[in-house]
Amino acid sequence: SGSRGRRRANRRPTVVKVLDVPTPTAVLASLGGPAIASLDGSITFYQIGGLVGGAPAIADEIRAAGSLKVGRNPVCLAYNKYGAGFLAVSRGDREMAWINGWGSNAQISHRLRDQRLVDPVYAEVSDTHGIEGPIVTIVDFHGRKILNYRYGPLKFATQGGAIFGVGATGHDEFECGGVLEFPGHPFAMSATNVN
């Protein structure tokens, strides 16, 4: 019983904090704290105090650190692998927003809206190998398709270094790179380029 008592004394205390998040729809975890999206289109950023490091966790240190409005019903928050921040897919407004910063410093840098998007529910920034270029894949549930968009210059890094701009002008904001139709309703996907 002596060793059992010592084990209990070394445990970190349990921290319980109830966050009042009305109709949450998506969450993104990071070392800085989570971002939680709500049906009304707001994303709230939270500080989580000692839960990040080795310091004791204190419930009062877990609190909102800022919020940002995006499109209605944001159902997916995804990391931006080719830059800072993250992406928010808003099903209600059929769009995707790029969010830079965190907490009270967060802001929308640009949005992707396209008539091809019927019901976007998921997004993932693609991994690439041999090329450098930001490509995002969007899953369209009721549209029954998966779409690829390029949102920056493409460089063939391992094949001569040729650089290609975005779209017909080479300076467009986005370019649809292809559509894959499905007989069912896709809701998520995951892909990588492995050699």
Side-chain angles (χ1 to χ4, degrees):
S1 66
S3 63
R4 188 179 298 163
R6 281 194 299 275
R7 273 186 269 148
R8 284 188 185 140
N10 291 332
R11 288 186 188 167
R12 290 180 68 176
T14 302
V15 176
V16 177
K17 174 86 174 201
V18 177
L19 300 174
D20 184 19
V21 180
T23 56
T25 55
V27 66
L28 183 72
S30 81
L31 291 176
I36 302 176
S38 296
L39 186 64
D40 68 355
S42 62
I43 296 175
T44 305
F45 301 87
Y46 291 90
Q47 293 177 338
I48 55 175
L51 291 176
V52 173
I58 300 169
D60 290 342
E61 292 180 351
I62 303 170
R63 62 182 176 273
S67 65
L68 177 70
K69 280 284 196 179
V70 295
R72 293 173 298 132
N73 192 12
V75 294
C76 176
L77 305 178
Y79 288 107
N80 184 4
K81 296 177 185 176
Y82 293 97
F86 62 98
L87 296 82
V89 178
S90 296
R91 192 175 191 183
D93 288 337
R94 301 182 335 179
E95 70 176 25
M96 189 173 63
W98 276 257
I99 298 163
N100 292 327
W102 197 264
S104 60
N105 296 321
Q107 58 185 335
I108 296 171
S109 62
H110 54 287
R111 298 176 189 263
L112 187 155
R113 292 184 181 124
D114 186 1
Q115 63 185 4
R116 286 173 277 237
L117 293 175
V118 176
D119 185 23
V121 296
Y122 185 85
E124 181 175 284
V125 175
S126 301
D127 292 326
T128 59
H129 178 74
I131 60 171
E132 295 172 3
I135 298 169
V136 64
T137 301
I138 301 176
V139 176
D140 191 320
F141 184 76
H142 280 107
R144 296 182 173 197
K145 56 193 169 189
I146 293 177
L147 306 96
N148 279 335
Y149 291 91
R150 187 160 58 101
Y151 57 97
L154 180 70
K155 180 179 180 182
F156 282 82
T158 60
Q159 293 129 0
I163 298 175
F164 299 93
V166 181
T169 68
H171 302 287
D172 294 344
E173 196 170 6
F174 305 104
E175 176 182 22
C176 183
V179 178
L180 176 63
E181 296 185 0
F182 279 86
H185 298 280
F187 59 90
M189 55 80 58
S190 180
T192 190
N193 183 351
V194 179
N195 290 359

